[in-house]
């Protein structure tokens, strides 16, 4: 029977790595064999080079026998996959192109199917079809079902394959998602939730006994006590989807599989699973099914107690089912865990949820001022902005309304300024109402406006009725008139401040409501304040900014702190812990962003810090990941892909380089580049190169990627840049790649060395050292590269003696041996050891077969030594090339 006529092989990676043909499970063998199989399955239909397989399975701890082991594992897997295979037939596990390829349909791999379904859900979401989005998410979640009877017959792993999405059809390499995640960042960790931390410290010892209970939560460094016990997972009666049963605990992807690739995928897929659970729960809440949310999230929330978005959804579900005490208890547990494990308190979104629920039974008759926390951050360097806000509050207290628009990047301090202004307003006797935009609020029409106008006794009955009527399909105009009438009544009782934080997330109807209310500030004691990010901006929010600006709004662009004020903030936050090096580190990484400064201080306090300079970082602290994630949340997936690629290419990259490594045409990159430039994440220089506005964001994106994957991507990018980018850009990628150069890399270096040493001599030396210490480099090529390294070191003032001596002892060419002896003598003379130099020259001149031109060169150098003349200069000693020296 031909391979194409056989039943397809189905693969499960969401749990233990297993495979079936029909109803028969295939024996995949040892943990390392399964690890190799999983690497190929995650890239089904693609050829994976052998060196990438070695890196993926063993990483930095690869044994000397790794290449042979790969061959053995492949042979064993072929026997398991096709025990009766005949020569000449197509294989399921094929070889070619220096690697191996698993020839199966990606739709038959549950992990890839899961990502296809998530992409399908995103497309439904973009189209506004919430029901179809929820159905796709439910089907994706069912793939994680680990009930044994469903595993036995293949259900819960691989079901009927859905239509392949464009994202799946473009053969995008799954390893491109191995860094900060896409939708998991935006969907699962809104706000300051930093639990999506790539584990930069993932073990790479390849030990097959790796604990199969490795945490799916990428905040494992903050939540080391999270249990994998099934009692802490989703309850067996939990419902996922539109009434579908989720029967059993969720899986741990790549369970029990060793190696850095498996660890990366375990973290990445686990984070995607949690984000999918959260998104599905948000849709269930919008559909009026809080019981479903409680069933689906109770287990995961217990397992991941610092995941704030999940806690907020579960608290809301508890509230809507009348279980208010449980909602408040959940908040207290999250609060205490965060304080104990991270030294931080819950973010704004979770605090808002708590304050709404906690104050639901006893409120005065005016909109509530946000509760003052006992440890509000110091507003260092914001005196000018605060003075403007205080003038607006003073004018309001005097009976004059106004408009203020605060804008700035994530973490720049907009919320702190807003909170201080609201405290000042309340202290001046003003009424204060506040709303907060978030992704969940975007799906609920008028939610932000209604929250802003909610009184301490609850929502105004007439406004509530109007809102419900509007949500049922009535005209928005009636609601806005009710809102305006309520504002007039409140203003009749005293000056009123209404503020919205994170307006970029507000629902469109609430944005329209702000259009409506701004007309009242000229005749009422009403101050409207908006805080938002400058970009990317939805059209309605951009229009609102224009309208308010034309109406006389004060626009405050909150920018980064200068170095002096940044250091002041470091000292204020760190107190006695602040040493002289901490402000320097904060200045380099934080770039004046207060949230970044605080993240650096918090990470340094626990010793979890990225180093200064180009040293390799052992990992990325949770606070740093959270700070970087806040910038990436609003971006589209295309923009996040550009940011990931730019992080690996480094400052000085160009649109052409990004096009080469992402596979997108320059025209296709325009929108994504425009988005990240408008958001201020990348800066465009006059020479058309790009650099990161926030070094911290680049460090997290790059250093948060496990070493094996990071090196693999650098090596791939080098080859993709070759032929179009300057040689120093290709060389920099090779140097950041694997510690041993492969065949292509060594050949490229030999071909471009002359140009590279002219443009970047230090880089050329570093790569030559790497190539010449590798036994895998062919003997003849290694000898040639070592000779060229000796010439380059002589020319640049380095010490070439070891390399020149090594070549002289092995070269067959008398001319090359003579040249290397001359280089050793020149190096000794340059060091001031004329006796040693003369000894080298004397021995060299007595060797048989020394070419005459080198005898003349030796004699000339001996004459210089005897005359006590200064050492020869490097530029006079060799030509400007590192090709063989011409002894003129």
């Amino acid at each position: 029977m031909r391979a194409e006529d056989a039943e397809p092989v189905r693969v499960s990676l969401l749990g233990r790595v297993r495979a079936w043909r029909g109803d028969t499970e295939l024996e995949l063998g040892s943990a390392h064999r399964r690890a190799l199989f999983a690497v190929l399955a995650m890239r089904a239909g693609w050829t994976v080079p052998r060196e990438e397989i070695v890196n993926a399975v063993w990483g930095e701890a690869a044994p000397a026998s790794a290449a042979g082991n790969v061959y053995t594992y492949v042979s064993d897997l072929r026997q398991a996959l096709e025990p009766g295979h005949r020569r000449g037939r197509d294989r399921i596990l094929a070889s070619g192109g220096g690697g191996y390829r698993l020839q199966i349909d990606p739709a038959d791999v549950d992990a890839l199917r899961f990502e296809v379904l998530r992409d399908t859900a995103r497309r439904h979401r973009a189209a506004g079809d919430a029901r179809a989005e929820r159905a796709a998410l439910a089907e994706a979640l069912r793939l994680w079902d680990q009930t044994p009877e469903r595993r036995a017959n293949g259900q819960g792993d691989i079901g009927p394959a859905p239509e392949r999405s464009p994202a799946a059809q473009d053969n995008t390499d799954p390893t491109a998602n191995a860094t900060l995640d896409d939708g998991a960042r935006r969907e699962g960790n809104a706000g300051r939730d930093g639990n999506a931390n790539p584990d930069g410290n993932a073990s790479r010892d390849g030990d097959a006994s790796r604990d199969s209970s490795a945490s799916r939560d990428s905040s494992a460094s903050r939540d080391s006590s999270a249990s994998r016990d099934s009692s802490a997972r989703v309850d067996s009666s939990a419902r996922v989807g539109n009434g579908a049963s989720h029967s059993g605990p969720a899986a741990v992807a790549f369970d029990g599989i060793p190696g850095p690739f498996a660890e990366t995928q375990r973290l990445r897929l686990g984070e995607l699973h949690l984000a999918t659970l959260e998104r599905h729960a948000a849709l269930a809440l919008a559909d009026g099914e809080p019981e479903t949310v409680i069933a689906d999230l109770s287990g995961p929330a217990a397992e991941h107690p610092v995941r704030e978005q999940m806690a907020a959804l579960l608290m809301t579900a508890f509230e809507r089912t009348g279980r208010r005490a449980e909602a408040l208890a959940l908040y207290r547990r999250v609060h205490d865990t965060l304080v104990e494990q991270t030294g931080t308190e819950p973010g704004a979104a979770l605090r808002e949820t708590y304050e709404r629920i906690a104050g639901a039974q006893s409120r005065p008759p005016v909109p509530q001022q946000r509760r003052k926390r006992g440890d509000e951050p110091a507003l260092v360097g914001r005196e000018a902005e605060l003075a403007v806000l205080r003038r607006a509050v003073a004018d309001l207290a005097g009976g004059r309304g106004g408009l203020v628009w605060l804008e700035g990047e994530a973490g720049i301090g907009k919320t702190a300024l807003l909170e201080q202004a609201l405290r000042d307003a309340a202290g001046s006797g003003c009424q204060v109402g506040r709303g907060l935009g978030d992704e969940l609020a975007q799906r609920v029409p008028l939610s932000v406006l209604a929250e802003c106008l909610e009184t301490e006794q609850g929502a105004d009955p007439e406004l509530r009725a109007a809102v419900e009527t509007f949500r049922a399909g009535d005209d928005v105009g009636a609601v806005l008139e009710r809102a305006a009438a309520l504002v007039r009544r409140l203003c009749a009782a005293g000056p009123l401040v209404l503020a919205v934080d994170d307006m970029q997330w507000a629902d469109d109807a609430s944005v329209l409501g702000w259009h409506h209310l701004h007309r009242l500030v000229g005749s009422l004691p009403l101050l409207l304040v908006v805080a938002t990010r400058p970009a990317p901006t939805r059209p309605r929010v951009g229009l609102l900014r224009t309208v308010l600006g034309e109406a006389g709004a004060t626009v405050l662009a909150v920018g980064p702190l200068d170095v002096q004020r940044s250091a002041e903030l470091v000292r204020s936050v760190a107190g006695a812990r602040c040493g002289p090096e901490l402000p320097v580190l904060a200045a380099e990484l934080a770039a004046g962003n207060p949230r970044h400064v605080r993240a650096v201080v918090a990470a340094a306090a626990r010793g979890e810090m990225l180093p200064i300079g180009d040293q390799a970082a052992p990992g990325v602290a949770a606070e740093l990941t959270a700070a970087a994630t806040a910038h990436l949340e609003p971006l589209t997936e295309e923009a996040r892909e550009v940011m990931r690629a730019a992080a690996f290419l480094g400052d000085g990259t160009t649109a052409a380089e990004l096009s080469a490594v992402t596979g997108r045409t320059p025209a296709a990159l325009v929108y994504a580049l425009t988005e990240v430039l408008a958001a201020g994440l990348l800066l465009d220089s006059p020479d058309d190169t790009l650099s990161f506005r926030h070094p911290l964001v680049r460090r997290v994106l790059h250093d948060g990627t496990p070493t094996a994957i990071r090196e693999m991507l650098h090596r791939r990018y080098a080859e993709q840049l070759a032929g179009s980018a300057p040689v120093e850009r290709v060389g920099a990628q090779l140097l950041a790649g694997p510690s041993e150069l492969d065949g292509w890399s060594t050949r490229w270096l030999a071909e471009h060395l002359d140009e590279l040493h002219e443009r970047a001599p230090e880089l050329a030396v570093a790569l030559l050292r790497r190539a010449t210490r590798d036994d895998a480099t062919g003997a003849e090529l290694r000898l040639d590269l070592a000779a060229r390294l000796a010439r380059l070191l002589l020319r640049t003032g380095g010490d070439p003696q070891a390399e020149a001596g090594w070549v002289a002892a092995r070269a067959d060419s008398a001319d090359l041996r003579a040249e290397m002896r001359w280089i050793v003598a020149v190096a000794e003379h340059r060091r001031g050891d004329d006796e040693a130099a003369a000894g080298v020259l004397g021995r060299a001149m007595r060797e048989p077969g020394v070419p005459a031109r080198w005898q003349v060169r030796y004699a000339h150098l001996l004459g210089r030594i005897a005359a006590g003349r200064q050492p020869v200069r490097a530029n006079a000693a060799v030509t400007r090339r590192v090709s063989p020296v011409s002894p003129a």
Side-chain angles (χ1 to χ4, degrees), residues 84 101 106 278 312 321 422 482 603 681 800:
R101 179 175 66 258
E278 289 169 343
T321 55
L422 296 183
R482 296 279 189 188
L681 296 177

Side-chain angles (χ1 to χ4, degrees), residues 95-112:
S95 59
Y100 299 99
R101 179 175 66 258
L102 191 61
Q103 299 191 118
I104 62 175
D105 188 342
D108 288 326
V109 180
D110 61 358
L112 301 182

Side-chain angles (χ1 to χ4, degrees), residues 36 50-51 53-55 57-59 61-73:
L36 185 151
R50 291 185 187 90
E51 59 267 25
I53 293 174
V54 171
N55 280 333
V57 175
W58 289 280
S65 61
N69 291 349
V70 168
Y71 179 84
T72 301
Y73 295 161

Side-chain angles (χ1 to χ4, degrees), residues 733-750:
Q733 292 297 308
L734 289 178
L735 191 63
S739 57
E740 295 182 358
L741 300 184
D742 60 14
W744 179 90
S745 304
T746 306
R747 291 191 297 273
W748 180 90
L749 178 61

Side-chain angles (χ1 to χ4, degrees), residues 765 769 789-801 803 823 826-827 830-831 874:
V765 168
R769 288 194 187 281
L789 175 57
R791 298 174 192 126
L792 180 55
L793 288 170
L794 183 68
R795 166 168 162 64
T796 57
D799 184 1
Q801 292 187 73
E803 289 76 12
I823 287 177
V826 170
R830 189 183 294 167
R831 288 195 313 134

